Every structure is written in C-alpha cells, then in structure tokens.
Amino acid sequence: MSISAVSICSNALLLLGDKPIDSFDVDNDRTRLVANLYEMKRDRVLRAHSWNCATKRVILSPDTDGPPFGWGYQFTLPNDWLRTLSVGEDGQEDDYAIEGRKILMDSNVCRLRYVFRNEVEATWDALLVDAMTQVMLAALTYPITKSTSKQGTEEQIVRDVLKSARSVDGQEVTSETMGDFPLLANRIR
C-alpha cells in the first residue's frame, strides 16, 4: 500500500475502531472531519522538528524592493516554508530577521535551510508516518468516541511517539559543533 494523506487518516480511523476512508472527496461527516484536520496537523508536526525528509536548501535572490529601514535586503520565503533552520553557510550563520513572509538581511544572497511542507507522504520516514497516524488518531478520538479519558491517553501516546521519532531522526545527521571559538580554546588549556 502506498503511503498518502488518505492512508494515514484511514489508518487512524481503523485504530479507533471506525471505518476506513478511500478519499477526501466523499461527502460525509467523517471524511470532512479528517480532511479539515489533516493539513493543519501535518504542518504542525513538520514544523515542530527538523525532519530530514522535510528539509530543503535554497539560495534566494533579494526582492526588488528592500525594507524601508534597518536592513539592506529582503527576501520572500518560499511558498512551502514552514520553519527556518539556518541562514548562511554551514557554521557561518548570517544575521537575519523574519518578518511576515520575508527574511531581512544585510547580505544580498540568502542561503536558506528550512523545513518545507512535504506533501508527498510516500517520501516520509516510516517513524514520521507512524507519528502522524498517532497525531490524527488523537485528533479524531474525541469527535468519534466522545471519550475525554481516551483522548488524554492518545495524546500521551502522541507525545511519546513524537519524542522517539524525533530522537531517531536527529541521530541521522552529524552533531553540530561550536566551531573555532577562542574563549573555548582558552578554557580547555
């Protein structure tokens, strides 16, 4: 079976003891419920961690109109941007500020590493798929079961599953170091 938004929501419904769905296009209460919640929950889960399967690098050119004051250049964030991870070369962060959908800088080139809205669930890590299924299960628990105690249990499971998934995902990149920092070098001596 191919992983998709529909399959994630369908599995969450099955885990709740409900009927699966085949599409978001069917006009019934259950399908409208999952379709309304899914994108918001997906974006929240993706934004909360620097998932390797949802990380992208781009070089942005400055907008034709700069900011009125304070910074030399402004750049429009990509349409799929959810969270900035770094601006500048690795280990050489540039000073910047984010205001609205703009990055403000004094440099005329913006090297942006960011979490993007990965809408192709088939490219997700298996642990992220599992975590998103649990997130949807927790979101659907009360509307379907009307049980606040079951909802509380599912929300605790979500916290545990997300913690584990983020931990494993975070182990698949090189640890960040502080680089050459004179104060640290003198402390070590």
Side-chain angles (χ1 to χ4, degrees):
M1 179 173 85
S2 166
I3 304 297
S4 67
V6 171
S7 70
I8 288 170
C9 293
S10 188
N11 288 337
L13 287 166
L14 285 170
L15 289 169
L16 277 172
D18 204 345
K19 296 177 197 161
I21 59 169
D22 295 323
S23 162
F24 286 147
D25 297 328
V26 177
D27 189 21
N28 63 43
D29 290 343
R30 196 171 75 259
T31 304
R32 278 191 299 276
L33 176 65
V34 295
N36 284 336
L37 292 174
Y38 183 77
E39 288 183 13
M40 176 186 61
K41 296 294 184 180
R42 178 203 58 215
D43 289 358
R44 181 177 180 203
V45 168
L46 291 175
R47 183 173 160 76
H49 177 70
S50 57
W51 302 100
N52 295 322
C53 61
T55 299
K56 201 185 266 190
R57 293 170 188 254
V58 294
I59 298 176
L60 302 175
S61 297
D63 295 351
T64 54
D65 58 327
F69 62 89
W71 297 92
Y73 302 91
Q74 70 181 6
F75 306 81
T76 301
L77 289 165
N79 289 334
D80 62 356
W81 173 92
L82 290 175
R83 175 179 166 206
T84 298
L85 299 174
S86 65
V87 174
E89 294 287 337
D90 289 337
Q92 298 293 320
E93 285 280 319
D94 291 335
D95 289 336
Y96 70 96
I98 294 179
E99 294 180 359
R101 300 276 312 161
K102 304 285 186 183
I103 295 179
L104 307 177
M105 300 177 59
D106 284 328
S107 173
N108 66 351
V109 175
C110 178
R111 290 172 177 82
L112 174 66
R113 192 169 68 90
Y114 68 104
V115 173
F116 73 99
R117 182 179 295 105
N118 185 344
E119 297 174 329
V120 183
E121 289 82 358
T123 64
W124 290 7
D125 179 271
L127 292 174
L128 176 55
V129 171
D130 182 49
M132 191 62 210
T133 302
Q134 281 299 140
V135 166
M136 286 306 296
L137 185 142
L140 298 170
T141 296
Y142 185 77
I144 291 175
T145 68
K146 304 296 187 236
S147 170
T148 56
S149 64
K150 176 133 179 74
Q151 182 182 23
T153 300
E154 294 303 335
E155 287 172 353
Q156 182 57 52
I157 292 170
V158 164
R159 286 189 285 278
D160 295 343
V161 167
L162 281 171
K163 182 178 178 182
S164 175
R166 287 189 298 252
S167 174
V168 171
D169 188 71
Q171 293 172 26
E172 294 178 332
V173 294
T174 305
S175 300
E176 292 183 20
T177 61
M178 294 191 73
D180 292 335
F181 193 61
L183 184 59
L184 285 177
N186 288 334
R187 293 261 330 206
I188 295 172
R189 292 182 194 172

